[in-house]
């Protein structure tokens, strides 16, 4: 599949998923469940065009995790304000990003789209991370109470896994990972908006 077809298709999926964003979180999550799964093609896309596999992989995996193993699996938190918060951030981010890719491939990139692509994230990234962390935090009591996704001893595999503590580790992992992604985008912003010729990397 060509990079142009893949990008346009992903833009279509993004718009389809986020159209009902103000309707109700359950409907949005159902749409986002399918769309985020489809977005694993972004990692494959790295083989088509020169993009950062590491950065793309981390971001896509984070979204898959938030949708599959947090909000979709724990229905009690689906109406939390933090869920709406990160969904709105994802919505604006993806519409901006794939609009940028689409117009770039069409060789007709409006300056506002370029400006939005490399400025909106300054606010959206921290707000989105806050929404994700607050959602995971809200999930902790339900995970601890139900023991979901946990494996207790004794069992035939002789191993144990506690999903509650795993989520705490995930939250702590944001401390080293988020600054790297944020600084990556700041570097890209300086290069692109200052007119330097670079090879665009996926964020």
């Amino acid at each position: 599949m060509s990079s142009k077809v893949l990008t346009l298709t992903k833009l279509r999926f993004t718009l389809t998923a986020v159209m009902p964003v103000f309707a109700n979180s359950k409907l949005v999550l159902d749409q986002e469940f399918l769309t985020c799964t489809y977005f694993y093609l972004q990692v494959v896309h790295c083989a088509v065009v020169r993009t950062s596999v590491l950065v793309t992989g981390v971001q896509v995996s984070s979204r898959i995790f938030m949708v599959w193993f947090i909000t979709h699996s724990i229905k009690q938190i689906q109406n939390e304000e933090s869920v709406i918060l990160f969904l709105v951030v994802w919505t604006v981010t993806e519409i901006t990003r794939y609009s940028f890719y689409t117009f770039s491939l069409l060789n007709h990139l409006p300056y506002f789209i370029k400006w939005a692509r490399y400025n909106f994230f300054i606010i959206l990234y921290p707000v989105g991370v806050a929404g994700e962390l607050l959602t995971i935090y809200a999930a902790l009591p339900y995970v601890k109470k139900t023991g979901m996704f946990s494996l207790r001893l004794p069992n035939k595999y002789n191993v144990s896994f506690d999903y509650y503590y795993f989520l705490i580790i995930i939250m702590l992992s944001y401390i080293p990972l988020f600054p790297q992604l944020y600084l990556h985008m700041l570097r890209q912003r300086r290069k692109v908006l200052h007119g330097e010729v670079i090879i665009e990397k996926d964020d």
Side-chain angles (χ1 to χ4, degrees), residues 3-5 7-8 49 100-108:
S3 60
K4 181 178 291 188
V5 172
T7 299
L8 290 173
V49 296
F100 175 87
Y101 289 157
T102 301
F103 283 113
S104 295
L105 289 170
L106 295 174
N107 296 316
H108 184 70

Side-chain angles (χ1 to χ4, degrees), residues 4-20:
K4 181 178 291 188
V5 172
L6 186 55
T7 299
L8 290 173
T9 305
K10 286 190 290 186
L11 176 61
R12 175 184 174 276
F13 268 74
T14 299
L15 292 173
T16 300
V18 302
M19 286 297 236

Side-chain angles (χ1 to χ4, degrees), residues 26-40:
K26 178 63 170 62
L27 178 59
V28 175
L29 285 168
D30 289 342
Q31 293 277 359
E32 195 70 28
F33 183 82
L34 297 174
T35 305
C36 276
T37 305
Y38 176 82
F39 274 8
Y40 256 130

